[in-house]
Structures are given as structure tokens and as C-alpha cells.
Amino acid sequence: MHSLLISAPAAAIPVHVASASTWPALQDKLSPAQRSFALAQGFAARAGQHCLLPDAQGALAAVLLGIDATARRPDPFAAGRLAALLPAGDYILSGEIGDPALATLSWLLQGYRFDRYRKPNPARARLVIPDGVDGEEISQIAESAMLARDLVNTPANELGPGEIEAAIRGLATECGATVTSIIGDDLIARNFPMIHAVGRASTRAPRLVDLTWGDPAHPKVTLVGKGVAFDTGGLNLKPDASMLLMKKDMGGAAAAIAAARMIMLAKLPVRLRLLVPAVENAVSGNAFRPGDVLASRKGLSVEIGNTDAEGRLILADALALADEEAPALLVDFATLTGAARTALGPELPPFYTHDESLAAEIARLGMAMNDPVWRLPLWPPYDGLLESKIADVNHISSGGMAGSVTAALFLNRFVEKAQSYVHFDIYAWNPAARPGRPEGGECQGARLIHALVKQLYPRS
């Protein structure tokens, strides 16, 4: 169980969560001194307000937290913000905490710190597990999301394709899975020409990492994650401002790794496969060029419109491999387009699927798990924007519009046999801190996919 959770409530400091409407009733439960202290501090249970109440000796006796209960959708992570604000000690939530499982999860996610390059802070605020919450399951989910955050936050000089593979091999050791990899020129021999083309300019060899777990007789669930350790843009070189955060361009791989870990630790009855094409899009004399025509595993010839749209190329070869065994569910995660952020911002990744009932369930679970996503259409008329005069398809659209949609349509061409296919165009980064979501690398989509697989294929 996570170190920020405890099961024994002895001597825990109460955290009273209240809205403006319940604050008057809560005041009646406080001692006169505490009530006077809170009012003197200006506490009025406004959203995000908190107040530390002392006892007669000056020691911390209780905490007040204000929330906005009138909001159309109150933030289920609101209580978590305290995990990074309170002094070390043991705390227990009461009052308007909403979903206790999400409140607990937010506490753990808020307590995350990327400590690889700084002195860790061992003194932390711990939470008593609320009644009815499975502390072990919540810990597994939170720790998987934190693993993804660690991978995204690690700079590219210390996280290349080889280190992404090492992370997956570590996961396999933890969960009893099997891993194989195809590296460097073997990618050509094994018919993954686009993964090789994108990664060949780097001194760090490109690779396809393939993890399998579970009973082969169980339904096949395959996760694919874009693992671009760093994206210079290739010969279509990015400007400085656009390159600064490109260590996060493997955020799709991080989300897929996190989802795989959640599924395996939950021992769900599926045959899980995790495919991560891991490359660095670098610049050298053998870099692929705009205007090149690449072969693909699928057999389609692909004209290169811009070398800075490399993620969809490596995903296409991996998706073609995944599709060959016709999985029941095929999901990919990728930090794919700036167009997705222009349309929906950093907090709400778009997703694409032809499966209407699955789309409705993904949207519902995204809200239920506070891992929100929004469906955008695989709009067939825009397929024409990918036409090429010299190849089967161009990998970017003409005209510069609907960039996230046309990227999804490109990927869709490489999937035919999967019973259901979903593509997530994630951002994998929090540009500003919010409750349960510190600034920095973020794990988007993984928790809802874990919930989806758990619902589709429950343990008997």
C-alpha cells in the first residue's frame, strides 16, 4: 500500500470539507475558540480555501477545506490539494468529500514529487483510508500513474529508447510478463520500415518493444504507446519554444505502460499485449526527409509531408502488427498533434473510434474516473486530405485544418481486423498545477482504460 495511506485512524487529525451552504452547520460542531479562530482568518468555505485550527496548546487540531458545491460538476479531486499543503501527520476526511475513492486517489496523486534530481522530502501528510475504499487498488492505480509521470518528467539525456525498453522490462519482471524487442536494422529485416526510418538518425537505436501477459485463451487487449524519447522535428526542425518540452513526446508510451501495469496488477482475465515503438527523432546525414516515400508494414506506401509528424509513422507499423492478431480491443495513446490542444486544450484529450457503444462508455468512464476525454469524429470526407500524387497516402493533410482528425484517419488505415479500436491524442503534461495534478508530466487516459477493461472483462 502507498506510503501516504494508513488504515489505522488513531489520533488522526480531522479534515472537515464544507461548502458555503454547510459551513454554518459545521461551525456549530467546532469549539467556540476554533470557530472564532476560523472566522478571524476569514474562512468562509470558498472553493480552495483552507484553514488550520489549533487546540488550546497551539497544536494542530483540525483542518477546514472549502469547496464549491454549486458548480455544475464539483471537482472530485478537490480534497487532494491538501496533500501538498499540510504539515506531516495523519489526517482523516469528513464532510462533503464526494466520491471517497477519487478523494483518496487525488491525495496520492497530489503527493507526487519528481525527486530524481533533488533532495527528497520524507515528511509527508498521510491519509486514513476512508470506509469502503480499497486502499490496495487505489495505491496500484496511483503508483502506475506516478510511474508514467516519472517517465515523462525524466529528461531525454537519461531516457532514450533503451531506457524506455528497460522500464517495460522492469514492469514485466514485476508483473510476470514476457518481453521481446526488435532493435536497429533488425527492424528492416522484420518489416517495420517506418519505425526504423524515424529512428535511424539517432545514435540511440530505434526499437519495437513487445510485452505479453495473461492466458492466451482470454480476450486479447492490446495497448500501443508512442515512444518518441525526444522530438527535434527531424529535418523540419522545431523552433526553440516548440522543442523545450519534447522530452514528453513519449507520453503515449508512458500512459500505455501505466494502463498495462494497472491491468496486470488487477489480474484481469485478458491476454494483454503492450507494444511501444521507441525512437529518437534526430537530425543527421541519414535522417528521413520531406518528400521521401516510405514502405510500411501494412504494405501501404507513405509520402512524407513533414518529418515533424513522425509519431504517426511509428504508430502505424506497431498498429499494423497489433491488428494482425485481431484483438478484441486495440487502444493507442500518443502525444500526436498540436491541433488537439488547439481544439480542446491540455486537460481534455480527444479520442477517436468507430464503435458507438464503446465511445459512450469511454466518455462516461472518463467522467466517472475524473480522467476526462472528449470524442472527435473519424470524419470520412477528410480522408481525401491525405491523398498523395506519388504514393498510397500522405501522412499529413493538405490545407492545415483538422490536424488531429486527419492524424487519426491516417492511423485508422492501418487497423482492419481489431474488433474495436480507440485512438487517444493526449498532451501528457500539466502546464499549471490543479488539485491532484501537479505541474509537469501527466498520465492521461490510462485510468479510464483500466476501468473500461475491468468492466468489459471482470474477474469471476
Side-chain angles (χ1 to χ4, degrees):
M1 193 162 63
H2 195 278
S3 61
L4 295 187
L5 291 183
I6 59 171
S7 55
I13 299 167
V15 175
H16 303 294
V17 183
S19 62
S21 62
T22 59
W23 170 228
L26 177 57
Q27 291 182 53
D28 293 338
K29 298 179 182 180
L30 301 177
S31 71
Q34 288 178 337
R35 182 168 59 250
S36 297
F37 184 88
L39 295 175
Q41 298 299 311
F43 185 81
R46 292 187 294 271
Q49 230 184 350
H50 78 285
C51 181
L52 308 185
L53 299 179
D55 61 17
Q57 288 72 43
L60 180 58
V63 179
L64 304 176
L65 174 66
I67 62 165
D68 182 4
T70 65
R72 184 173 181 181
R73 183 174 182 269
D75 186 357
F77 276 7
R81 70 187 302 272
L82 291 176
L85 298 174
L86 296 178
D90 297 338
Y91 298 87
I92 186 167
L93 295 172
S94 68
E96 297 181 77
I97 65 172
D99 184 328
L102 288 181
T104 305
L105 178 64
S106 71
W107 189 282
L108 299 184
L109 294 178
Q110 184 68 45
Y112 168 83
R113 283 170 56 92
F114 183 60
D115 286 331
R116 184 165 180 165
Y117 304 105
R118 60 182 178 179
K119 185 177 179 180
N121 178 15
R124 312 297 290 275
R126 302 192 304 174
L127 182 68
V128 173
I129 302 170
D131 291 341
V133 173
D134 185 336
E136 193 63 38
E137 181 183 45
I138 291 294
S139 294
Q140 291 172 356
I141 292 170
E143 288 163 358
S144 299
M146 292 175 192
L147 169 61
R149 287 175 174 178
D150 278 347
L151 290 170
V152 175
N153 284 326
T154 301
N157 63 313
E158 295 199 9
L159 188 81
E163 288 76 19
I164 293 174
E165 178 180 348
I168 296 170
R169 289 190 178 276
L171 177 63
T173 299
E174 178 187 13
C175 298
T178 301
V179 176
T180 60
S181 60
I182 305 169
I183 302 174
D185 290 344
D186 285 348
L187 289 163
I188 298 175
R190 300 280 295 276
N191 194 24
F192 298 98
M194 293 201 292
I195 298 174
H196 182 271
V198 172
R200 71 191 182 203
S202 173
T203 57
R204 303 193 280 189
R207 63 203 65 212
L208 176 64
V209 188
D210 188 347
L211 175 149
T212 54
W213 172 88
D215 187 339
H218 285 161
K220 293 182 175 67
V221 173
T222 301
L223 308 178
V224 180
K226 173 188 168 185
V228 178
F230 193 82
D231 180 20
T232 65
L235 292 176
N236 290 114
L237 195 68
K238 290 179 181 289
D240 290 353
S242 299
M243 209 183 298
L244 266 178
L245 277 183
M246 281 302 99
K247 69 177 184 179
K248 79 172 185 67
D249 212 20
M250 41 63 62
I257 290 168
R261 184 178 187 271
M262 294 176 199
I263 290 168
M264 289 188 288
L265 290 179
K267 295 180 170 54
L268 299 181
V270 297
R271 176 63 168 177
L272 179 69
R273 191 177 194 184
L274 169 67
L275 290 168
V276 174
V279 303
E280 180 177 32
N281 188 21
V283 180
S284 71
N286 68 338
F288 76 119
R289 296 163 288 265
D292 283 358
V293 174
L294 302 181
S296 70
R297 183 175 184 84
K298 186 72 173 176
L300 297 173
S301 58
V302 179
E303 182 183 5
I304 302 305
N306 188 309
T307 63
D308 194 19
E310 80 300 328
R312 66 198 71 182
L313 299 174
I314 65 172
L315 282 174
D317 270 356
L319 285 170
L321 172 65
D323 191 58
E324 289 167 11
E325 61 177 15
L329 177 63
L330 174 57
V331 179
D332 82 65
F333 302 88
T335 52
L336 207 61
T337 69
R341 257 44 68 197
T342 299
L344 297 176
E347 300 174 16
L348 189 62
F351 75 97
Y352 300 83
T353 182
H354 288 299
D355 190 324
E356 296 295 328
S357 61
L358 184 66
E361 206 52 29
I362 287 172
R364 185 189 71 80
L365 286 170
M367 296 300 285
M369 297 301 298
N370 202 26
D371 193 8
V373 292
W374 197 267
R375 189 186 186 189
L376 290 183
L378 285 162
W379 186 243
Y382 288 169
D383 253 325
L385 297 175
L386 296 170
E387 290 181 357
S388 167
K389 294 180 180 179
I390 62 171
D392 292 323
V393 64
N394 196 306
H395 86 304
I396 64 169
S397 63
S398 58
M401 294 186 180
S404 181
V405 176
T406 54
L409 287 167
F410 174 81
L411 294 177
N412 187 64
R413 293 182 181 225
F414 295 84
V415 178
E416 292 180 332
K417 300 175 183 177
Q419 295 173 37
S420 293
Y421 167 53
V422 188
H423 161 60
F424 290 91
D425 190 342
I426 67 175
Y427 190 54
W429 193 263
N430 294 318
R434 293 174 291 135
R437 296 179 171 92
E439 183 178 350
E442 187 53 282
C443 178
Q444 293 178 309
R447 291 191 290 108
L448 81 84
I449 287 299
H450 164 247
L452 176 67
V453 175
K454 183 179 177 182
Q455 177 177 290
L456 293 174
Y457 311 108
R459 289 187 299 184
S460 56

